[in-house]
Amino acid sequence: MAPGSASSPSPSFPASRPWAAVGAMAAAAAAGPSPGSGPGDSPEGPEGEAPERRRKAHGMLKLYYGLSEGEAAGRPAGPDPLDPTDLNGAHFDPEVYLDKLRRECPLAQLMDSETDMVRQIRALDSDMQTLVYENYNKFISATDTIRKMKNDFRKMEDEMDRLATNMAVITDFSARISATLQDRHERITKLAGVHALLRKLQFLFELPSRLTKCVELGAYGQAVRYQGRAQAVLQQYQHLPSFRAIQDDCQVITARLAQQLRQRFREGGSGAPEQAECVELLLALGEPAEELCEEFLAHARGRLEEELRSLEAELGPSPPAPDVLEFTDHGGSGFVGGLCQVAAAYQELFAAQGPAGAERLAAFARELGSRYFALVERRLAQEAAFLGCLTDVRQALAAPRVAGKEGPGLAELLANVASSILSHIKASLAAVHLFTAKEVSFSNKPYFRGEFCSQGVREGLIVGFIRSMCHTAQSFCDSPGEKGGATPPALLLLLSRLCLDYETATISYILTLTDEQFLVQDQFPVTPVSTLCAEARETARRLLTHYVKVQGLVISQMLRKSVETRDWLSTLEPRNVRAVMKRVVEDTTAIDVQVGLLYEEGVRKAQSSDSSKRTFSVYSSSRQQGRYAPSYTPSAPMDTNLLSNIQKLFSERIDVFSPVEFNKVSVLTGIIKISLKTLLECVRLRTFGRFGLQQVQVDCHFLQLYLWRFVADEELVHLLLDEVVASAALRCPDPVPMEPSVVEVICERG
């Protein structure tokens, strides 16, 4: 391509695409010399060809990346704004740029540059045409809009000119009218003022008749408003005779009005809003506020005390107590609502009384509020679910004995009591949960989200009830002759099992249910579950121990009377077992069945094979033969006592009142120990003849035949019965025991 032809497209070279041409030149330089060039074409020869090539490539890369010499050396530098070969510069000169290309670029690179520039020019032309075509409709629309705006503005200018002309005409007419009516306007204003004054004077002259009519119709509020409108004017012009007469008439009428308002207020037949209206009207009439304040509280006290008497009548002994929610609803809608109305009306009417009036209202509310809360506490105290359940249990336990029929078993009664108490607890939680419901306005207050849930519900209601139940149950463990003496033993047994069930599961369940329903957001300390469980277990232990003592006392009383009321010196030779011993066995068997309904069996020691057939062979042993042999004479009492004391030293010590475990064997063991210990102590206080000793021997053998199976260790029964017989022998002048075979025959026959 000729150099002259290369300059033809230069004037239309796109300044926005210099990087494409430079990139093509860089690519050509990187590809090496043109195919037509040889080693001899370089002025430096083969030796200088490689450095020159590298220098050109390096220069083209600098042009490609837009770097100056300083930037190539690592120093930051910007493009020279005066460079005529900078396609993007303001001083670009196409001739200089083409001369530079012809000097620095080979022919192939120049042809590539021309081709690239032509392609870019065509692309720019195509883009421009596309842009024009795409925005043609917008250009047309904008042109039409501008044309319309010119027409509209021209019309608007004409209308504004006409409007300005019309406004000028209107202003001229207005000025002429104002000048014409100026005198009339002043006269009209004066006449209007005179008319208003005449209307006021007419109102003043008609005021006495208006007030009289309002009083006759009972429109007291309207009458007070009339008096308030005219009072300032009459006071100002009272020196004029006509106004003075009107004022005197009005004072007479208002005095009668105030008297009627006081009469209506003192009758007290209306409610708090009506009485508050009367007080407000009296205050507007100038009545003394202190006196009205006292009367207002006195009348309010009467109404509120009537509400309290109504609530107290509901708690009387004759009618049944209403439902607790109905009672509180009655009190809330009646007394509490009335007290709130009184307080609101008082604060509105007597706000000017200051701190003294506020203190008077506070004392009034505290006095009546304390009486109301006392009634609420009385009603809540009647919600004795636990005591009511105990009463039902007492009646159920006594009913079979009175009517002669079988009643519900202890297991069924226990289930009923536990279910009733748990249902009552759930119902109470549901009732107090209303205080934390989302639809209640005050439920979002910090007290009902924190202290109310933890201290009020959990500690005050649930923990308080559990401890109250334990305390009530422990009160049945009083000594005989007090409350505990009249307590049925079956009730003690049932309560002990109930408290044990609470310790094992119920307390944890109730507190978990409470914590789930009332999310405690409070840092107050609460009672741990383990503490309540320990208290319930201790209560169950005390009740079961007291049950053992009561049942042991019942059997002991029978044995004591049977020993104390019999003449053991002159008794006949025994032919059968005494009836009291049979009764002891029967009662012990009944107790075993009763305890087995609520408690597990327990653990017994291994029983010997001859437990049911054992006779008191110790009485026929060599040691006892010496004691009961015919050669025994009263002249040697010291030897016999010495042998007895030595036997006690080597015998196992028996703890009669040892702790009772929660099982049937432990309970029966405790009862039998108390009974046999009582029998032993009673025997020690008596003197026996030969046949009396033999009767004791028969009775003890009979007891041994049946009682050993109820205790944890059969040796316990053997030791106690051995001591009974040995003690009777020590107190017998002629201790001749009965033959064991005869004893067995009598006991089998009995």
Side-chain angles (χ1 to χ4, degrees), residues 67 103 215 234 238 327 360 578 589:
L67 297 177
R103 287 194 309 269
V215 171
L234 293 175
Q238 62 180 348
F327 180 83
R360 186 184 295 111
R578 288 190 299 154
T589 304

Side-chain angles (χ1 to χ4, degrees), residues 527-719:
T527 305
V529 177
S530 58
T531 302
L532 291 177
C533 291
E535 294 177 6
R537 187 175 185 85
E538 176 62 19
T539 302
R541 185 195 61 78
R542 289 190 58 186
L543 287 166
L544 194 59
T545 301
H546 191 64
Y547 173 81
V548 171
K549 292 180 180 179
V550 170
Q551 294 289 48
L553 180 62
V554 173
I555 298 177
S556 298
Q557 290 291 342
M558 292 191 298
L559 294 174
R560 182 177 64 83
K561 291 180 179 179
S562 69
V563 174
E564 293 178 351
T565 58
R566 190 178 183 89
D567 186 4
W568 294 98
L569 289 173
S570 58
T571 186
L572 299 177
E573 184 178 0
R575 291 289 182 265
N576 51 31
V577 180
R578 288 190 299 154
V580 67
M581 299 302 168
K582 299 178 182 179
R583 177 67 183 275
V584 168
V585 173
E586 291 174 357
D587 288 356
T588 305
T589 304
I591 293 172
D592 179 76
V593 174
Q594 186 181 69
V595 177
L597 295 175
L598 300 180
Y599 283 99
E600 292 76 14
E601 181 70 21
V603 180
R604 289 188 175 91
K605 289 186 178 180
Q607 302 170 355
S608 61
S609 59
D610 59 344
S611 297
S612 61
K613 299 181 180 180
R614 180 182 185 275
T615 59
F616 291 93
S617 59
V618 66
Y619 306 134
S620 59
S621 65
S622 59
R623 177 170 55 85
Q624 296 294 339
Q625 282 179 351
R627 184 188 302 175
Y628 303 125
S631 61
Y632 170 81
T633 59
S635 61
M638 292 299 296
D639 296 336
T640 306
N641 291 335
L642 180 61
L643 291 175
S644 177
N645 292 332
I646 293 174
Q647 179 188 6
K648 291 180 180 180
L649 289 175
F650 289 96
S651 63
E652 183 180 357
R653 181 180 179 275
I654 299 175
D655 187 4
V656 178
F657 298 101
S658 59
V660 182
E661 299 178 0
F662 297 104
N663 58 72
K664 184 177 70 172
V665 172
S666 179
V667 172
L668 269 295
T669 300
I671 296 173
I672 292 175
K673 285 193 297 184
I674 293 174
S675 303
L676 296 184
K677 186 66 175 178
T678 302
L679 177 62
L680 175 61
E681 297 300 326
C682 292
V683 167
R684 288 175 177 173
L685 298 177
R686 309 294 293 178
T687 303
F688 298 86
R690 176 188 298 179
F691 296 142
L693 172 61
Q694 294 177 359
Q695 184 65 57
V696 171
Q697 184 181 358
V698 171
D699 293 342
C700 290
H701 182 69
F702 180 80
L703 293 177
Q704 180 268 331
L705 288 176
Y706 294 97
L707 296 184
W708 66 270
R709 67 194 66 195
F710 298 118
V711 297
D713 187 3
E714 63 184 72
E715 288 297 324
L716 176 68
V717 177
H718 299 333
L719 290 175

Side-chain angles (χ1 to χ4, degrees), residues 18 187 304 329 337 373 407 444 470 494 557 564 569 577 607 725:
R187 290 197 299 271
L304 295 176
D329 183 65
F373 287 124
N444 291 326
C470 294
L494 185 144
Q557 290 291 342
E564 293 178 351
L569 289 173
V577 180
Q607 302 170 355
V725 177

Side-chain angles (χ1 to χ4, degrees), residues 100 137 150 368 428 611 645 681:
K100 181 180 179 181
N137 292 331
K150 289 182 179 180
L368 295 178
S428 300
S611 297
N645 292 332
E681 297 300 326

Side-chain angles (χ1 to χ4, degrees), residues 290 293-294 297 343 346-366:
E290 187 71 21
C293 176
E294 295 292 340
L297 291 180
Y346 183 93
Q347 292 177 348
E348 182 179 357
L349 295 173
F350 305 104
Q353 296 294 313
E359 181 59 29
R360 186 184 295 111
L361 176 63
F364 173 83
R366 278 196 300 267

